[in-house]
Amino acid sequence: MPDPWSGPGWRLTLTAAGFELVADGAAEAFEGEDLSKLTVTRWWFGRSLVIAGAPARRLGGLSATDARTLRLAIDRQRIRADVLAGVDRAVEFRDRFEELLERHRSASRWISYDAVSAVLTLRPDDHHRMSTPRVGQALTSQEQAAVAFCDADHRSQVAELNDQIRAAELLARRDFFDRVEKSPLTDEQASAVATFDNRVRVIAAAGSGKTSVMVARAAYAIERGFVAPDRILLLAFNADAAAELRQRVASRLGALGLPHEQVQAATFHSFGRSLLGKVTGRKPSIAPWVERGRDVEKIGEIVDRLRDSSVQFRFQWDMFRLLYGRVSDEPDAGEPDSYDRRTRLTGFGTYRGDTVRSEGERLIADWLFLNGVDYDYEHPYSHDVADRNHAQYRPDFFYPAVEVWHEHWALRADGTPPEAFTGYAESMAWKKRIHRQYGTTLVETTWAEIVDLRGFDDLARQLRSHGLTLDWNPDRAIPGTAPLEHEQLSRLVRTFMSHVKSSSLSRSDIAARLTRQGRATPRTQLFLDIYWQVHDQWEQELRSADVVDFDDMLIQAAEHVERDPEVAPYDLLLVDEFQDTSRARGRLVWALLQGGSKYLLAVGDDWQSINRFAGADLSLMTHFDTYFGPSQTQRLQTTFRCTQDIADVASRFISANPTQIAKVVTSANTRAGRGVTIVRVARREALERAIEEHLDTLAEEGRRPSVDILGRYRFDQDLLPPRTFSGLDVTFRTAHGSKGLEADHVVLPNLTRSTYGFPSRINDDPVLTLAMSEADGFPHSEERRLFYVALTRARLGVTVFTVAGHESPFVLELLAYPQVTLVGSSAAAAEVRICPGCGEGTLVPRKGRYGQFLGCSRFPACRQTVKA
C-alpha cells in the first residue's frame, strides 16, 4: 500500500494512530474521531482528498491507484481507531498473563485462582468484536496475535502449568515432605500441601492423616516464605483437637528449625471470644448453661416457666408434644406401628392401647383419651344394615354415654380423599344416608380439620352439645403408645434455635421460607408459635445475665471482621473438621478471607458429618464453591487406620447415601485383622453374655489390644459385662463421642431395630428444614454417617451384635457384603432370611391358629408370611 500519498502542495503520511497531513508548509494530525473528516472523492478533473469543515478543503492530484489505496487506508485507520483501546488492552493482558506464568514458573510457586482473576480483569470485554476478518486487516500481526490470545482457555493453561509446578515441588522438596512429620508424607498428602491455591477443600477419609496435612501446610508456607508465621491461623472444632494442633505445630516446625511461636491454633469459640475481647476491650462471658452443655435443660426450664405463666403456651406445647409431634402431612401417610390380635387389625397405636386404622383416627383417639372421653372404636352400628354390597356398618367412633356416632373422613382441605381411596365418596354418601334413615346422631370430622387446631375446637363443641364432659388433662397416665417426651421436644427446639441463630434468621426470614417451601401447615405454624416464645425468653435471659451463647459470639466476631478485615490479619487459614461447620462458623471463615489475597485450606470428610443436631450444615462442604468461591479439591484416600476389609465395608455402606462425595479408600494397614463380624443372638437377654464371650476371646489373643465399645446411647453401657478383662483396655463411648479416636477393636453392642436402636428412630423433624439447608431425603442419612464413623474407628476388627428378629436395617445391609461374616449363637441365629415382601426385615418363627409360620420382623408394618 503506497505511503505517503501526495499532490500539488500537500503530502499525507500514515501514523500508528491515523494520518499526518502537511499542506502549504503546515502539519496537521488526523486521529480518532477526526478520521471521519477524511474522504476520497472523484471530481471533474480527477480524484481528490477532501477534508470536511467550513469550508471543506479539497486537495487534488491523486491517481486512480492512489485514490483506491487511500480509501482502504482511511477505512483501516478508522477501524483501528474504533478498536485501538481494546487492542492495546489485549496486548497488555497477554503480556501480563505471560509474565504471571513465567514468574511463577521460575519461582516454582503455585499460581492462585485470585492472582489469575486479577489479570483476567485486563482482558477486553469486546475482544470477540476484534476477531473479525475486517478488523484483522486493520491490525498488525502482533496485535492480531494478542486479540487471538484473548480467546484462549486461560484457566486450563494455568491448570496445566500448576500441575507441572506441583510435580516439580514434590520432587525438589522431597526431603522437606519426608521430614515435616514423623512419617514421610504420601504423594496425596504432599500434593494437598503444595496445591497452594486461595481456596482448597481437602476431602480426607477416616484415618488418612488430615492433621499431618494441616501442620505440613503451615510449615510449607513458612519454609517457602509465602506467609509469615504470625499470619497463620488454625481453627479446630473442639478443645482437644486445637490442643493437638498446637502441640504438633510446635514439635514438627521446631524439629525443622522453622519459627512457629506466633502460629495460632484455637477452637472457633475461643478465637471468636478473644477477637471480641481485642476489638471491644471486653471479652464476652459465655452463658454458663451453654458452656456446661446444659442448653437443652435450659430450654426445658424456660418451657416450664412459660407453661406455668401462660395457659395458651401450655396448651400449645401439650398439643404439639402429645398430638402433633408424630403426624404426617397426608391423610394416607405414616407407617403402621401396632397390631390388635383380637381384631387382627394392623394400624396405629393409641395412648389408650387401641389400634386404629389411620393417623387421623389416632389423633382423635388420643385427644379423646386426654379429655377423659369414653369411646368404642369401630363398634357395630345399632341397626343391621349389611346387604350384598356392604358388610355390617362399623362407624369409626361410638360414644356410649350419649349414643352418638362419629365418622372421621380422610379428606384434604379441598374436600378430596387420597387418590388410592377408590369409591370413597360413594362410601361416605352411603354411611350418611344410613344415619338419616335410622335417625341416629352423627358427628363428623375431616383430616384437614383435625390437622388444623381449630378442628378440635369444633369437635369439642359438638361433643359438649350432645352432653359429653371434656376434662383435658395432658398429665394422664398413658398405658398405650408413649408420646413425644418433654426432653425430646426441648431438644428439637434447641436444634432449631442453633440453626436460626447460626444463620441470623429473623421471623420474617422464617416466614418467607415457610411460604417458599410450601410448609405452611398448621403443625408447622404451631411449632413456630412455640419456638418464638422460647426464643424470646432465651434472648431475654442472655441479656439479663449479660452473657452470650456460642452462635451470638461467632456472628458478632464475623461482623467485626467484615467491617474491618485488619482486626484479624491472617493470610493462611486452616480449618479442621469442615464437615461439621455451622453457618455461623462458615460466616466467620468467609469474613477472615476478605481483604487481600488470602488462603484457605478446609479439611474434612462429608462421610463423617454427624453434628446436624448441633447446628452443623453439611452443604458448606458439599457446596463449598457456592459459599467460598472457586476452589481446588484434593483427596486423601489412603487410610492408615483400618484394614482394607473394614475400609471396603464402611465405604460401600456410606456410598449408598446419594449426596456424598465419591472417594475410593485404600488401606496402608497390612496387619492381619478380623474384618467386620455380625454376632446374632436369639434373644435380647443374651447380648451381655455374647459380648462377654467376645471380649474373653480378644483377651486370650494377647498383645493387650485396645477395645472401644460404641453405643448409640449412653444407656447401651448397661449391656456390658460388669467386670474387667485382663489383657484388654476396654472403653465405653457413644458413637458421637468416638469421633477422632481409634482402637484396635470396635464393638457395637446394640444394632437393633427399635426407637433407641441404631439407627435411632428419633428422627430429625421436618420443621428443621425451615432453618437450614434441605436434608438429602435418604432414609437415615445422618445415622448412616454416624455408623460409618463407628466402623472406621477400628484398626483391626469390628464386631456388631444384634438380636434375631430385631435386626437393624444396617445389619441387613451389611449381610449382603462379601467381607462381612455372620456368627450365630445357635443354629437358628446363624441363618438369616430376608423378608421377600419388604426387603427390610427378616423372617422369624411365629405361631398362629393354623400352627407355625414365618413372618416379617417388621410386623405390623409388613405382614408378609411364609410357610415354615
Side-chain angles (χ1 to χ4, degrees):
M1 182 178 290
D3 176 18
W5 296 267
S6 61
W10 64 273
R11 181 186 181 91
L12 185 69
T13 307
L14 271 173
T15 65
F19 296 94
E20 182 184 59
L21 174 66
V22 177
D24 299 327
E28 185 177 1
F30 292 88
E31 299 175 355
E33 294 181 357
D34 287 343
L35 288 168
S36 64
K37 295 178 180 180
L38 302 180
T39 56
V40 175
T41 62
R42 182 171 181 171
W43 199 241
W44 293 104
F45 302 105
R47 295 162 181 79
S48 303
L49 170 66
V50 178
I51 305 167
R57 289 178 288 166
R58 186 179 302 277
L59 304 177
L62 285 173
S63 67
T65 300
D66 284 352
R68 183 170 59 256
T69 60
L70 181 54
R71 285 193 189 97
L72 292 174
I74 292 173
D75 185 55
R76 178 177 179 272
Q77 293 297 73
R78 285 175 180 168
I79 292 172
R80 281 186 58 81
D82 184 43
V83 300
L84 190 59
V87 170
D88 289 343
R89 191 166 181 178
V91 172
E92 181 186 6
F93 164 64
R94 182 188 61 182
D95 292 345
R96 287 281 298 276
F97 185 85
E98 291 179 344
E99 185 272 333
L100 173 71
L101 267 57
E102 181 53 37
R103 176 159 39 90
H104 281 260
R105 181 188 290 109
S106 62
S108 192
R109 175 171 181 172
W110 183 274
I111 308 169
S112 71
Y113 185 94
D114 290 354
V116 177
S117 296
V119 175
L120 285 175
T121 61
L122 300 175
R123 181 174 57 179
D125 295 332
D126 59 348
H127 63 88
H128 296 297
R129 187 170 65 91
M130 296 182 284
S131 301
T132 64
R134 181 168 178 262
V135 173
Q137 292 175 1
L139 306 180
T140 67
S141 58
Q142 287 189 336
E143 290 171 338
Q144 291 175 20
V147 169
F149 181 78
C150 291
D151 287 323
D153 187 347
H154 305 99
R155 294 287 185 189
S156 293
Q157 291 181 31
V158 171
E160 183 178 349
L161 180 54
N162 272 336
D163 286 343
Q164 296 171 13
I165 291 171
R166 179 169 50 204
E169 282 292 277
L170 298 188
L171 183 63
R173 303 186 188 278
R174 190 67 258 177
D175 181 63
F176 169 84
F177 291 125
D178 285 347
R179 295 190 303 116
V180 67
E181 279 282 279
K182 290 183 178 179
S183 297
L185 298 189
T186 64
D187 284 347
E188 63 182 8
Q189 290 173 328
S191 176
V193 171
T195 304
F196 211 85
D197 217 321
N198 297 106
R199 292 160 295 275
V200 179
R201 176 182 64 169
V202 178
I203 309 297
S208 61
K210 62 184 178 63
T211 304
S212 293
V213 168
M214 294 180 69
V215 172
R217 175 69 156 225
Y220 180 74
I222 296 170
E223 199 265 346
R224 290 296 320 270
F226 296 162
V227 182
D230 64 339
R231 299 183 75 89
I232 297 176
L233 173 64
L234 298 92
L235 290 175
F237 190 74
N238 58 49
D240 289 342
E244 182 186 2
L245 284 172
R246 283 192 293 271
Q247 187 276 325
R248 293 272 286 272
V249 166
S251 64
R252 300 318 308 161
L253 273 64
L256 294 176
L258 296 173
H260 57 81
E261 293 81 2
Q262 292 180 298
V263 176
Q264 289 197 48
T267 65
F268 274 94
H269 293 153
S270 63
F271 172 75
R273 191 178 185 189
S274 296
L275 188 145
L276 289 177
K278 169 187 170 183
V279 174
T280 67
R282 185 172 182 271
K283 183 179 287 189
S285 298
I286 307 300
W289 61 88
V290 172
E291 200 162 29
R292 297 169 190 161
R294 294 185 56 251
D295 44 346
V296 175
E297 292 179 45
K298 187 66 174 180
I299 295 291
E301 293 171 8
I302 291 173
V303 167
D304 287 342
R305 287 201 302 273
L306 287 171
R307 293 179 77 231
D308 289 341
S309 62
S310 169
V311 174
Q312 176 67 11
F313 180 86
R314 173 182 284 270
F315 178 72
Q316 290 175 321
W317 178 267
D318 291 337
M319 285 292 284
F320 190 92
R321 183 178 73 85
L322 295 170
L323 297 179
Y324 290 93
R326 52 174 186 171
V327 67
S328 304
D329 292 330
E330 286 292 324
D332 59 341
E335 183 176 276
D337 56 18
S338 180
Y339 177 71
D340 189 325
R341 296 187 180 278
R342 180 180 59 84
T343 62
R344 313 186 92 184
L345 174 63
T346 298
F348 300 83
T350 70
Y351 289 157
R352 196 175 74 171
D354 303 323
T355 299
V356 297
R357 296 182 186 276
S358 69
E359 284 195 315
E361 291 176 350
R362 173 162 64 184
L363 271 174
I364 293 171
D366 289 346
W367 181 85
L368 293 171
F369 174 83
L370 294 169
N371 276 288
V373 175
D374 184 34
Y375 65 88
D376 291 339
Y377 180 69
E378 292 193 344
H379 186 81
Y381 187 56
S382 52
H383 300 276
D384 186 358
V385 294
D387 58 29
R388 65 180 182 178
N389 295 318
H390 302 92
Q392 174 58 19
Y393 177 31
R394 292 175 176 267
D396 295 329
F397 298 95
F398 176 61
Y399 305 109
V402 292
E403 295 192 356
V404 170
W405 305 90
H406 177 180
E407 280 288 1
H408 177 67
W409 311 117
L411 300 179
R412 305 186 184 100
D414 61 2
T416 62
E419 288 70 16
F421 287 17
T422 305
Y424 196 78
E426 292 80 359
S427 175
M428 285 177 58
W430 179 80
K431 293 173 181 178
K432 291 181 179 182
R433 188 165 60 250
I434 289 296
H435 285 284
R436 289 195 300 269
Q437 178 180 342
Y438 289 98
T440 48
T441 303
L442 176 64
V443 169
E444 300 177 69
T445 55
T446 69
W447 165 265
E449 294 167 347
I450 289 302
V451 296
D452 187 321
L453 283 174
R454 292 183 295 273
F456 280 121
D457 292 339
D458 183 61
L459 178 57
R461 283 192 296 271
Q462 292 188 66
L463 296 182
R464 288 192 181 103
S465 71
H466 292 299
L468 283 174
T469 299
L470 275 64
D471 178 23
W472 173 260
N473 180 5
D475 299 319
R476 284 182 202 279
I478 295 176
T481 302
L484 190 69
E485 298 292 340
H486 286 284
E487 190 273 341
Q488 290 174 257
L489 184 49
S490 294
R491 186 172 296 281
L492 173 62
V493 169
R494 177 59 180 136
T495 299
F496 192 82
M497 180 184 290
S498 294
H499 289 287
V500 165
K501 300 194 71 174
S502 183
S503 299
S504 301
L505 298 175
S506 65
R507 280 174 166 80
S508 59
D509 293 330
I510 293 295
R513 291 185 174 203
L514 193 69
T515 301
R516 188 167 62 250
Q517 295 181 11
R519 295 185 179 275
T521 64
R523 178 186 187 273
T524 303
Q525 192 57 59
L526 175 60
F527 174 81
L528 291 176
D529 289 345
I530 292 169
Y531 170 75
W532 287 118
Q533 294 177 75
V534 176
H535 177 101
D536 291 344
Q537 285 295 309
W538 177 281
E539 295 297 291
Q540 178 59 44
E541 297 230 1
L542 293 177
R543 290 191 295 270
S544 298
D546 192 22
V547 294
V548 296
D549 58 25
F550 289 135
D551 292 315
D552 290 336
M553 187 173 64
L554 292 175
I555 293 298
Q556 291 171 20
E559 289 172 346
H560 281 290
V561 180
E562 287 165 356
R563 286 193 292 267
D564 180 10
E566 284 305 308
V567 302
Y570 299 100
D571 295 328
L572 175 58
L573 185 61
L574 304 128
V575 184
D576 194 14
E577 302 287 7
F578 205 77
Q579 76 280 350
D580 288 328
T581 300
S582 66
R583 288 293 183 95
R585 289 183 175 91
R587 180 175 174 182
L588 180 56
V589 169
W590 184 88
L592 289 168
L593 297 177
Q594 306 312 301
S597 184
K598 304 294 183 72
Y599 300 92
L600 167 66
L601 184 81
V603 185
D605 183 6
D606 59 308
W607 288 2
Q608 298 184 68
S609 179
I610 60 173
N611 287 302
R612 191 169 187 248
F613 71 93
D617 192 334
L618 181 56
S619 69
L620 290 172
M621 185 160 199
T622 56
H623 296 88
F624 187 82
D625 288 17
T626 302
Y627 294 105
F628 301 101
S631 65
Q632 295 281 331
T633 293
Q634 293 285 297
R635 284 175 165 79
L636 303 181
Q637 300 184 121
T638 301
T639 179
F640 301 94
R641 179 187 302 151
C642 307
T643 62
Q644 191 64 54
D645 279 349
I646 295 174
D648 288 346
V649 169
S651 297
R652 178 175 173 181
F653 178 83
I654 195 60
S655 294
N657 281 27
T659 60
Q660 304 301 139
I661 300 172
K663 57 187 78 77
V664 179
V665 180
T666 302
S667 175
N669 180 356
T670 58
R671 295 171 61 188
R674 287 172 163 264
V676 179
T677 302
I678 296 173
V679 177
R680 187 172 184 250
V681 300
R683 302 179 314 282
R684 189 176 296 274
E685 294 76 21
L687 281 173
E688 181 180 325
R689 178 58 186 158
I691 294 170
E692 184 175 31
E693 290 175 353
H694 174 63
L695 295 177
D696 281 333
T697 300
L698 292 180
E700 292 170 0
E701 293 179 356
R703 294 181 298 180
R704 197 172 185 84
S706 58
V707 181
D708 273 4
I709 300 179
L710 306 182
R712 178 59 183 85
Y713 293 97
R714 290 201 176 277
F715 51 70
D716 285 336
Q717 190 168 7
D718 297 340
L719 295 170
L720 304 191
R723 69 179 183 87
T724 60
F725 294 84
S726 177
L728 292 183
D729 292 325
V730 180
T731 304
F732 177 84
R733 313 178 196 276
T734 64
H736 278 100
S738 72
K739 185 72 170 62
L741 303 175
E742 58 185 51
D744 292 322
H745 297 277
V746 162
V747 171
L748 299 172
N750 186 25
L751 260 289
T752 57
R753 181 190 297 273
S754 65
T755 300
Y756 294 98
F758 202 164
S760 169
R761 287 188 183 175
I762 305 174
N763 297 321
D764 282 345
D765 195 285
V767 298
L768 290 177
T769 58
L770 289 173
M772 63 181 300
S773 61
E774 289 277 356
D776 56 30
F778 194 67
H780 308 303
S781 58
E782 178 100 349
E783 290 286 298
R784 294 177 68 86
R785 290 192 290 269
L786 181 60
F787 187 56
Y788 172 82
V789 167
L791 291 173
T792 54
R793 298 312 92 192
R795 300 187 191 99
L796 300 175
V798 178
T799 306
V800 174
F801 289 85
T802 191
V803 179
H806 300 278
E807 298 91 349
S808 160
F810 294 173
V811 168
L812 302 185
E813 193 168 338
L814 293 184
L815 287 173
Y817 300 176
Q819 304 93 336
V820 175
T821 302
L822 173 65
V823 175
S825 60
S826 64
E831 182 183 359
V832 179
R833 293 181 63 183
I834 306 298
C835 173
C838 66
E840 298 179 18
T842 59
L843 295 179
V844 295
R846 298 194 189 280
K847 187 175 183 179
R849 65 173 66 183
Y850 302 113
Q852 295 283 343
F853 66 95
L854 299 178
C856 181
S857 61
R858 292 183 61 243
F859 178 85
C862 175
R863 303 195 65 179
Q864 179 72 36
T865 61
V866 176
K867 289 182 179 181

